[in-house]
Amino acid sequence: INKIKNKRIVKRHFSNEKYYLEIHELLHDITFRTEMGQHLDTNSTPFDTPLDLSRFTKEKHKAIVLFKTAYYSFYLSVAFALILSNQNEAQLNEQARVVCMDLGEYFQVQDDYLDCYGDPEFIGKIGTDIEDAKCSWVVCEALERANEEQRRILQENYGKHDAEKVLKVKNVFKELDIEKSYHEYEEASKKRIDDRISKIQSVPLQKLLEFLLGKIYQRTK
């Protein structure tokens, strides 16, 4: 339904513009990539098989978030702006895309962190990534650093809708100081994104990307 609405909106407002086909193709491409991301996310934890911790890797998590989140949450609007402002040159578009991928990944890692550590009354929801056995950045980070005993605890308790089991998982996260790792990741991401933005020659594009980064940096909900 949303895809049909998008097509109708674009046709109504842009069908007579020279860049109409370019916008149309952009929406098709982003829709396809987002559906791929949703497929990767859904199939990261099959419901009909035992929990397999080897599925939860940083590489898989990155693939999911880039396709499911980064393209439609950040790149789509920026690419749209480049087309409408007649600045959609290949180099500029690629620079924007790279920064938007970084923003999307950072944004989703924030979501994963807040799902586990955020105050439900403040963020407006009760996190269930642990219970739902999501391929979350938090569990991927934990698995990279866990010893055999901690990995055993995660294997036995992750993905279970049981408050005591969820607490055992969170205790492992606490032992590994995942909160510290997240804050280190956040600052490293901010520095990398700032550096990439500074190398873009288009001042308006720089300002737009700086604005987007400012909206999400250190967000708490």
Side-chain angles (χ1 to χ4, degrees):
I1 294 176
N2 287 332
K3 287 187 286 186
I4 295 173
K5 287 182 178 179
N6 288 339
K7 290 179 181 178
R8 287 179 176 174
I9 291 172
V10 168
K11 184 175 182 180
R12 181 185 307 130
H13 295 285
F14 302 105
S15 60
N16 293 324
E17 302 292 342
K18 61 181 180 180
Y19 45 70
Y20 172 62
L21 180 59
E22 201 170 0
I23 291 175
H24 202 68
E25 289 179 344
L26 174 65
L27 285 173
H28 271 292
D29 181 60
I30 300 302
T31 299
F32 174 69
R33 291 176 186 274
T34 303
E35 289 176 347
M36 285 178 60
Q38 291 172 334
H39 174 76
L40 288 170
D41 186 30
T42 302
N43 287 276
S44 64
T45 310
F47 295 107
D48 56 348
T49 60
L51 180 68
D52 181 3
L53 293 180
S54 67
R55 290 177 175 271
F56 304 141
T57 66
K58 291 280 185 67
E59 291 76 14
K60 176 167 285 188
H61 178 268
K62 184 169 185 174
I64 292 171
V65 302
L66 292 187
F67 284 100
K68 183 182 177 183
T69 303
Y71 275 101
Y72 93 89
S73 294
F74 292 92
Y75 177 67
L76 175 59
S77 58
V78 174
F80 207 104
L82 289 174
I83 292 171
L84 266 62
S85 62
N86 197 31
Q87 296 187 60
N88 197 32
E89 300 172 1
Q91 182 179 0
L92 203 59
N93 185 292
E94 178 59 16
Q95 288 177 317
R97 188 194 68 81
V98 170
V99 173
C100 287
M101 295 303 100
D102 282 345
L103 287 168
E105 182 179 2
Y106 170 38
F107 180 83
Q108 186 59 56
V109 170
Q110 287 177 317
D111 261 8
D112 293 352
Y113 172 80
L114 291 172
D115 186 276
C116 183
Y117 292 97
D119 183 346
E121 293 187 4
F122 186 68
I123 65 176
K125 67 174 184 177
I126 298 175
T128 60
D129 282 359
I130 294 174
E131 292 92 326
D132 295 337
K134 285 291 186 177
C135 184
S136 160
W137 178 88
V138 177
V139 73
C140 290
E141 177 71 14
L143 287 168
E144 283 189 352
R145 299 163 51 198
N147 59 33
E148 289 186 14
E149 176 61 16
Q150 291 166 331
R151 192 177 183 89
R152 181 190 66 78
I153 293 171
L154 293 175
Q155 177 68 54
E156 293 177 355
N157 296 281
Y158 197 72
K160 303 293 194 302
H161 286 262
D162 181 301
E164 290 186 8
K165 293 182 181 295
V166 170
L167 183 59
K168 289 181 180 180
V169 171
K170 288 188 175 183
N171 284 339
V172 171
F173 293 166
K174 184 175 181 180
E175 291 171 7
L176 295 170
D177 204 356
I178 299 299
E179 286 192 79
K180 179 182 178 182
S181 297
Y182 167 75
H183 292 300
E184 290 173 348
Y185 165 86
E186 180 169 53
E187 293 309 313
S189 296
K190 172 70 160 52
K191 185 176 184 301
R192 182 177 65 253
I193 296 169
D194 277 336
D195 181 61
R196 284 180 170 164
I197 292 175
S198 70
K199 295 176 181 177
I200 296 174
Q201 294 184 346
S202 169
V203 174
L205 180 57
Q206 276 190 337
K207 296 298 183 183
L208 173 58
L209 295 172
E210 287 170 353
F211 169 78
L212 293 174
L213 176 58
K215 294 292 288 184
I216 66 173
Y217 176 56
Q218 292 187 332
R219 70 187 178 96
T220 55
K221 64 177 180 179

mmCIF file of all heavy atoms in Angstrom, residues 6 23 26-27 30-31 70-82 100-101:
data_model
loop_
_atom_site.group_PDB
_atom_site.id
_atom_site.type_symbol
_atom_site.label_atom_id
_atom_site.label_comp_id
_atom_site.label_asym_id
_atom_site.label_seq_id
_atom_site.Cartn_x
_atom_site.Cartn_y
_atom_site.Cartn_z
ATOM 1 N N ASN A 6 3.359 6.058 -2.584
ATOM 2 C CA ASN A 6 4.555 6.791 -2.995
ATOM 3 C C ASN A 6 4.547 7.071 -4.488
ATOM 4 O O ASN A 6 4.890 8.177 -4.931
ATOM 5 C CB ASN A 6 5.812 5.999 -2.625
ATOM 6 C CG ASN A 6 6.079 5.988 -1.136
ATOM 7 O OD1 ASN A 6 5.595 6.855 -0.410
ATOM 8 N ND2 ASN A 6 6.840 5.012 -0.668
ATOM 9 N N ILE A 23 13.633 10.102 -10.195
ATOM 10 C CA ILE A 23 12.993 9.927 -8.885
ATOM 11 C C ILE A 23 12.291 8.578 -8.806
ATOM 12 O O ILE A 23 12.373 7.867 -7.796
ATOM 13 C CB ILE A 23 11.982 11.065 -8.630
ATOM 14 C CG1 ILE A 23 12.711 12.394 -8.433
ATOM 15 C CG2 ILE A 23 11.124 10.762 -7.401
ATOM 16 C CD1 ILE A 23 11.791 13.579 -8.302
ATOM 17 N N LEU A 26 14.786 5.907 -8.333
ATOM 18 C CA LEU A 26 15.330 5.977 -6.970
ATOM 19 C C LEU A 26 14.396 5.279 -5.986
ATOM 20 O O LEU A 26 14.843 4.478 -5.152
ATOM 21 C CB LEU A 26 15.530 7.434 -6.557
ATOM 22 C CG LEU A 26 15.957 7.677 -5.101
ATOM 23 C CD1 LEU A 26 17.344 7.109 -4.831
ATOM 24 C CD2 LEU A 26 15.915 9.172 -4.771
ATOM 25 N N LEU A 27 13.114 5.554 -6.068
ATOM 26 C CA LEU A 27 12.148 4.930 -5.159
ATOM 27 C C LEU A 27 12.107 3.422 -5.344
ATOM 28 O O LEU A 27 12.027 2.665 -4.368
ATOM 29 C CB LEU A 27 10.761 5.527 -5.384
ATOM 30 C CG LEU A 27 10.537 6.939 -4.830
ATOM 31 C CD1 LEU A 27 9.184 7.474 -5.274
ATOM 32 C CD2 LEU A 27 10.622 6.943 -3.314
ATOM 33 N N ILE A 30 15.343 1.958 -3.709
ATOM 34 C CA ILE A 30 15.312 1.987 -2.241
ATOM 35 C C ILE A 30 14.301 0.983 -1.696
ATOM 36 O O ILE A 30 14.549 0.316 -0.687
ATOM 37 C CB ILE A 30 14.988 3.399 -1.724
ATOM 38 C CG1 ILE A 30 16.051 4.402 -2.190
ATOM 39 C CG2 ILE A 30 14.891 3.403 -0.201
ATOM 40 C CD1 ILE A 30 17.458 4.072 -1.777
ATOM 41 N N THR A 31 13.162 0.868 -2.364
ATOM 42 C CA THR A 31 12.156 -0.120 -1.940
ATOM 43 C C THR A 31 12.731 -1.529 -1.989
ATOM 44 O O THR A 31 12.562 -2.322 -1.054
ATOM 45 C CB THR A 31 10.910 -0.034 -2.826
ATOM 46 O OG1 THR A 31 10.335 1.268 -2.709
ATOM 47 C CG2 THR A 31 9.872 -1.072 -2.416
ATOM 48 N N ALA A 70 19.402 2.209 6.669
ATOM 49 C CA ALA A 70 20.179 3.339 6.160
ATOM 50 C C ALA A 70 19.657 3.901 4.847
ATOM 51 O O ALA A 70 19.584 5.125 4.667
ATOM 52 C CB ALA A 70 21.642 2.926 6.003
ATOM 53 N N TYR A 71 19.282 3.024 3.923
ATOM 54 C CA TYR A 71 18.883 3.515 2.603
ATOM 55 C C TYR A 71 17.600 4.339 2.653
ATOM 56 O O TYR A 71 17.524 5.420 2.074
ATOM 57 C CB TYR A 71 18.746 2.358 1.612
ATOM 58 C CG TYR A 71 20.056 1.983 0.964
ATOM 59 C CD1 TYR A 71 20.784 0.880 1.403
ATOM 60 C CD2 TYR A 71 20.581 2.751 -0.068
ATOM 61 C CE1 TYR A 71 22.000 0.543 0.819
ATOM 62 C CE2 TYR A 71 21.800 2.417 -0.670
ATOM 63 C CZ TYR A 71 22.500 1.313 -0.217
ATOM 64 O OH TYR A 71 23.707 0.996 -0.787
ATOM 65 N N TYR A 72 16.588 3.835 3.347
ATOM 66 C CA TYR A 72 15.327 4.577 3.312
ATOM 67 C C TYR A 72 15.250 5.664 4.385
ATOM 68 O O TYR A 72 14.576 6.682 4.197
ATOM 69 C CB TYR A 72 14.121 3.631 3.417
ATOM 70 C CG TYR A 72 13.596 3.390 4.818
ATOM 71 C CD1 TYR A 72 12.618 4.222 5.368
ATOM 72 C CD2 TYR A 72 14.054 2.328 5.591
ATOM 73 C CE1 TYR A 72 12.130 4.004 6.646
ATOM 74 C CE2 TYR A 72 13.576 2.109 6.864
ATOM 75 C CZ TYR A 72 12.613 2.944 7.386
ATOM 76 O OH TYR A 72 12.133 2.732 8.652
ATOM 77 N N SER A 73 15.970 5.486 5.514
ATOM 78 C CA SER A 73 15.884 6.479 6.591
ATOM 79 C C SER A 73 16.756 7.702 6.331
ATOM 80 O O SER A 73 16.433 8.801 6.784
ATOM 81 C CB SER A 73 16.291 5.848 7.925
ATOM 82 O OG SER A 73 15.377 4.859 8.312
ATOM 83 N N PHE A 74 17.864 7.520 5.601
ATOM 84 C CA PHE A 74 18.794 8.628 5.398
ATOM 85 C C PHE A 74 19.087 8.897 3.919
ATOM 86 O O PHE A 74 18.939 10.028 3.451
ATOM 87 C CB PHE A 74 20.097 8.358 6.160
ATOM 88 C CG PHE A 74 19.930 8.397 7.653
ATOM 89 C CD1 PHE A 74 19.651 7.241 8.375
ATOM 90 C CD2 PHE A 74 20.016 9.601 8.344
ATOM 91 C CE1 PHE A 74 19.473 7.276 9.746
ATOM 92 C CE2 PHE A 74 19.841 9.651 9.719
ATOM 93 C CZ PHE A 74 19.569 8.489 10.423
ATOM 94 N N TYR A 75 19.509 7.879 3.195
ATOM 95 C CA TYR A 75 19.943 8.122 1.817
ATOM 96 C C TYR A 75 18.806 8.585 0.918
ATOM 97 O O TYR A 75 19.011 9.466 0.057
ATOM 98 C CB TYR A 75 20.580 6.864 1.239
ATOM 99 C CG TYR A 75 20.984 7.013 -0.209
ATOM 100 C CD1 TYR A 75 22.021 7.880 -0.575
ATOM 101 C CD2 TYR A 75 20.321 6.309 -1.203
ATOM 102 C CE1 TYR A 75 22.382 8.030 -1.905
ATOM 103 C CE2 TYR A 75 20.682 6.448 -2.539
ATOM 104 C CZ TYR A 75 21.709 7.310 -2.880
ATOM 105 O OH TYR A 75 22.064 7.472 -4.206
ATOM 106 N N LEU A 76 17.628 8.047 1.067
ATOM 107 C CA LEU A 76 16.516 8.396 0.181
ATOM 108 C C LEU A 76 16.249 9.897 0.172
ATOM 109 O O LEU A 76 16.154 10.518 -0.895
ATOM 110 C CB LEU A 76 15.250 7.640 0.597
ATOM 111 C CG LEU A 76 13.966 7.996 -0.172
ATOM 112 C CD1 LEU A 76 14.141 7.738 -1.666
ATOM 113 C CD2 LEU A 76 12.781 7.209 0.375
ATOM 114 N N SER A 77 16.118 10.496 1.331
ATOM 115 C CA SER A 77 15.794 11.922 1.391
ATOM 116 C C SER A 77 16.947 12.780 0.872
ATOM 117 O O SER A 77 16.716 13.804 0.204
ATOM 118 C CB SER A 77 15.457 12.319 2.834
ATOM 119 O OG SER A 77 16.528 12.031 3.705
ATOM 120 N N VAL A 78 18.187 12.364 1.148
ATOM 121 C CA VAL A 78 19.343 13.129 0.679
ATOM 122 C C VAL A 78 19.475 13.015 -0.837
ATOM 123 O O VAL A 78 19.709 14.025 -1.532
ATOM 124 C CB VAL A 78 20.633 12.654 1.373
ATOM 125 C CG1 VAL A 78 21.858 13.342 0.780
ATOM 126 C CG2 VAL A 78 20.554 12.930 2.873
ATOM 127 N N ALA A 79 19.326 11.815 -1.375
ATOM 128 C CA ALA A 79 19.400 11.625 -2.828
ATOM 129 C C ALA A 79 18.281 12.386 -3.530
ATOM 130 O O ALA A 79 18.474 12.963 -4.608
ATOM 131 C CB ALA A 79 19.321 10.133 -3.160
ATOM 132 N N PHE A 80 17.099 12.392 -2.924
ATOM 133 C CA PHE A 80 15.957 13.141 -3.455
ATOM 134 C C PHE A 80 16.311 14.629 -3.532
ATOM 135 O O PHE A 80 16.038 15.299 -4.549
ATOM 136 C CB PHE A 80 14.751 12.930 -2.545
ATOM 137 C CG PHE A 80 13.432 13.068 -3.232
ATOM 138 C CD1 PHE A 80 12.671 11.949 -3.552
ATOM 139 C CD2 PHE A 80 12.931 14.320 -3.552
ATOM 140 C CE1 PHE A 80 11.449 12.070 -4.177
ATOM 141 C CE2 PHE A 80 11.706 14.460 -4.175
ATOM 142 C CZ PHE A 80 10.963 13.336 -4.495
ATOM 143 N N ALA A 81 16.938 15.142 -2.469
ATOM 144 C CA ALA A 81 17.318 16.559 -2.432
ATOM 145 C C ALA A 81 18.352 16.876 -3.511
ATOM 146 O O ALA A 81 18.294 17.938 -4.149
ATOM 147 C CB ALA A 81 17.862 16.913 -1.054
ATOM 148 N N LEU A 82 19.301 15.969 -3.729
ATOM 149 C CA LEU A 82 20.311 16.183 -4.758
ATOM 150 C C LEU A 82 19.691 16.245 -6.144
ATOM 151 O O LEU A 82 20.080 17.066 -6.981
ATOM 152 C CB LEU A 82 21.366 15.072 -4.701
ATOM 153 C CG LEU A 82 22.325 15.087 -3.507
ATOM 154 C CD1 LEU A 82 23.204 13.842 -3.507
ATOM 155 C CD2 LEU A 82 23.192 16.335 -3.512
ATOM 156 N N CYS A 100 25.530 8.587 4.506
ATOM 157 C CA CYS A 100 24.194 8.111 4.907
ATOM 158 C C CYS A 100 24.237 6.672 5.401
ATOM 159 O O CYS A 100 23.484 6.310 6.311
ATOM 160 C CB CYS A 100 23.217 8.241 3.743
ATOM 161 S SG CYS A 100 22.736 9.945 3.388
ATOM 162 N N MET A 101 25.122 5.846 4.835
ATOM 163 C CA MET A 101 25.266 4.483 5.329
ATOM 164 C C MET A 101 25.819 4.499 6.755
ATOM 165 O O MET A 101 25.373 3.742 7.620
ATOM 166 C CB MET A 101 26.186 3.668 4.412
ATOM 167 C CG MET A 101 25.656 3.441 3.000
ATOM 168 S SD MET A 101 24.040 2.615 2.926
ATOM 169 C CE MET A 101 22.948 4.019 2.642
#
